[in-house]
Amino acid sequence: MLARLCLVVLAAWLSAAPALAENHFVRDQDEYAAALRVVEAGDVIILANGEWRDFDLVITGQGRADAPITVISQEAGKVFLTGQSSLRIGGEYILVTGLVFRDGYSPRGEVISFRRNKDDVTSNSRVTEVVIDNFSKPDRYESDYWVGIYGQNNRFDHNNLVGKTNKGVTLAVRLDSEESRNNGHLIDHNYFGPRPVLGSNGGETLRIGTSRYSMFRSETTVANNIFDRTDGEVEIISSKSGGNTFRGNVFLQSRGTLTLRHGDDAVVERNVFLGGGKDYTGGVRVINRGQTVRDNYMEGLRGEAFSSALAIMNGVPNSPVNRYVEVAGATIDGNTIIDSRRIGFNVGADEERSASPSDSSFANNLLGGIEGESFLEVYDDVSGIAFAGNVVTQGGVADELGDFTRQGVAMERAENGLLYPVDPALSHLGAPRDLDPVTLDQVGAFWYPKPGNDAVFGGSGTVTQVAPGNDTLVAAAMAASDGDVLELSSGEYIVSRTLPLGIAVTIRGARVEAGAEGAVPATILFTRPYLFELREGGNLRLANLTIDGALAPDSVGNSMIRTTTYPIKSNLTVEMDGVTVQNLEVNKSFNVLTLGKSALADRVAISNSNFVNVTGTVVSAAAETEDFGQYNVEYLEITGSNFASIGGPVADIYRGGRDESTFGPFVNFSGNALADVGLAATNSSGASVNLHGVQIASLADNQVAASAPFRIVHTVGTPATTLTGNQFAATPEFVLQELNYDGDHRAARSGNVFAEEGAE
Ligand code: CA
């Protein structure tokens, strides 16, 4: 351990070891408090290995540049702060290292705060090799920051921040007092690990400043960090102050963009964005004055609009601080952007955002879109941007950009893993050759593992055979581990209690030969108002089964699957393939799947399934009714399935409000057959498919007979709905509404046929 102290403390901090420095080895919170009372510059407080539960860890005091006050774990990664724990740092020249926050959450507004209170804000302090792992408040809409940086000249480096599921920025630099401005903070070599889709504004991974203080300079440097699957919302980074630098960061399969939201004179250089073809992966969004975006590399990005590889926005004339200051004096130079979906100029142009960029340049960029797709788009006037020396290798280019050279460019992958032109004559184009993107082993605490790429239902691989009978399925489900498969044979399975699911489990019927003698599918009947209740960590896949509601009692809110009424931190997945659901009709609103408040499904997928005699809604994702821009499902896919005699809609999705911070919901509803759907008096939407505020929807090749209409309400943003090749008999026309857009409904419609009567 002495060796490590020497390494960490001496090498990093001391030029001359202080003669009187003392080590305080502490084993519990009382001993810690005693040490804190006497700590002086140069002292080291060593926390004993083990669990420190409900630890309100505070460190303050006057260290010196040559003699900091240090709080260190006995061994790196062996001190765990759990339960209701937090860290606050006051004083100056303080170093904290080696801690892991897990199995709990902060009772405060922050997990790590670079201030003890408003009057004791730290400066010249450093937090290094500290881990915050899934230390999220239980309710996704209860907000906190994991890290709040105040003061000046603080460094936050080599830390792991992984798995934040509740609302609020992962790391926020605060400028709300004068002593926190022009701060010179350094945020480097951190691992920002997966942050799941929040389904609301407030899912940024890093924010510097706020609109209120955006006229001040922060002068923060964000360098050589990795952002891995930081999907929370449209802004991965939200720069909301002046003079910040973003250099050498790597973004891996992260939805959203580095957004220069407020404040001027940012420099964004030598960053690498690798989208891997994932939806909504973006690059840099430019707003405000004096922004420089140069020498960056982007590949495989699939975002458009706000999440384009480059989105140069239109501004609001004389913008208030919280809106969009017009782009002026931007320099966008020497970037490589290839295999990416979109570069947009004048993004967001509308009646309010009417000011085009001015006094800006866009030069020597090497650009490649997706073959056969539109790539460079222009939505307003680009005469204020000087274009020079740009080359486009493939993808459509807007007519206004006639100066762009179009030519094929042979590219090869260099040793740094990035693509460059083979022809030396083109070496001045695009990102520089000497980019050296940081790798996973160079960021975060080296002693703490980084999460892999687990499929939701991957897990254990254990398959358990379950025999028909009373509560045989209950016993098997209660004993199952994450990732298990429960396989049912032919026969009836009676379930006499609600099955609580806090794991990923697959329940499937054994394959039966079509037409084989006695080949009846496994059938589940349940005697409670709910068959499955999804809890924290719960994911459910059903396949090759029949589920029958005939034995369920009449209750309020019957649902074959529901989410717990307690908040769920993790996003969940529900899949049904080859499933028959029937006889959910003991009362007038018996749903198949109900996603409740504060629950977000990453994905609900229904395929090759049959639903017959259901009085309620098949997929109800409409619990967030406050119009805060929150919602219950990110991806809903319903394909190749039959719905007959369904009282409510097959899908009921609600995302209300005018917030533009999220990408979803996304709906694919195609190849389905509907008959007598949505006509119950209790169906308040009056629709067979009810989509309110869905951002991207495709409804194609459905056959609909004697049913309520499809209802599509567009709200904010640039919703894209396509209605193609649907056939309707004795079913009303589409009900289409635009709430924030003047003009005809923007849904693209083609090949839809409405017949008065069903074909007899
Ligand atoms: Ca935001």
Side-chain angles (χ1 to χ4, degrees), residues 201 204 233 235 661:
N201 190 13
E204 305 88 348
E233 61 142 281
E235 297 170 305
S661 308

mmCIF file of all heavy atoms in Angstrom, residues 201 204 233 235 661, ligand 1:
data_model
loop_
_atom_site.group_PDB
_atom_site.id
_atom_site.type_symbol
_atom_site.label_atom_id
_atom_site.label_comp_id
_atom_site.label_asym_id
_atom_site.label_seq_id
_atom_site.Cartn_x
_atom_site.Cartn_y
_atom_site.Cartn_z
ATOM 1 N N ASN A 201 -36.400 14.952 -20.969
ATOM 2 C CA ASN A 201 -35.275 15.871 -20.854
ATOM 3 C C ASN A 201 -34.545 15.578 -19.535
ATOM 4 O O ASN A 201 -35.129 15.026 -18.618
ATOM 5 C CB ASN A 201 -35.801 17.317 -20.867
ATOM 6 C CG ASN A 201 -34.685 18.342 -20.982
ATOM 7 O OD1 ASN A 201 -33.541 18.024 -21.285
ATOM 8 N ND2 ASN A 201 -35.032 19.590 -20.744
ATOM 9 N N GLU A 204 -28.721 14.356 -19.980
ATOM 10 C CA GLU A 204 -27.399 14.710 -20.493
ATOM 11 C C GLU A 204 -26.321 14.014 -19.662
ATOM 12 O O GLU A 204 -26.463 13.853 -18.455
ATOM 13 C CB GLU A 204 -27.167 16.225 -20.401
ATOM 14 C CG GLU A 204 -28.221 17.095 -21.087
ATOM 15 C CD GLU A 204 -29.400 17.447 -20.176
ATOM 16 O OE1 GLU A 204 -29.522 16.836 -19.094
ATOM 17 O OE2 GLU A 204 -30.193 18.316 -20.563
ATOM 18 N N GLU A 233 -30.402 11.243 -23.779
ATOM 19 C CA GLU A 233 -31.305 12.146 -24.510
ATOM 20 C C GLU A 233 -30.579 12.761 -25.707
ATOM 21 O O GLU A 233 -29.532 12.270 -26.113
ATOM 22 C CB GLU A 233 -31.827 13.228 -23.571
ATOM 23 C CG GLU A 233 -30.725 14.092 -22.979
ATOM 24 C CD GLU A 233 -31.138 15.546 -22.872
ATOM 25 O OE1 GLU A 233 -31.108 16.255 -23.893
ATOM 26 O OE2 GLU A 233 -31.499 15.974 -21.766
ATOM 27 N N GLU A 235 -28.863 15.484 -26.059
ATOM 28 C CA GLU A 235 -27.574 16.093 -25.769
ATOM 29 C C GLU A 235 -26.723 15.129 -24.947
ATOM 30 O O GLU A 235 -27.066 14.817 -23.810
ATOM 31 C CB GLU A 235 -27.760 17.397 -24.983
ATOM 32 C CG GLU A 235 -28.517 18.465 -25.758
ATOM 33 C CD GLU A 235 -28.906 19.640 -24.871
ATOM 34 O OE1 GLU A 235 -29.564 19.428 -23.840
ATOM 35 O OE2 GLU A 235 -28.551 20.759 -25.227
ATOM 36 N N SER A 661 -36.139 17.060 -26.281
ATOM 37 C CA SER A 661 -34.905 16.452 -25.774
ATOM 38 C C SER A 661 -34.796 14.957 -25.999
ATOM 39 O O SER A 661 -33.819 14.356 -25.586
ATOM 40 C CB SER A 661 -34.801 16.696 -24.271
ATOM 41 O OG SER A 661 -34.953 18.050 -23.996
HETATM 42 CA CA CA B 1 -31.485 18.486 -22.504
#
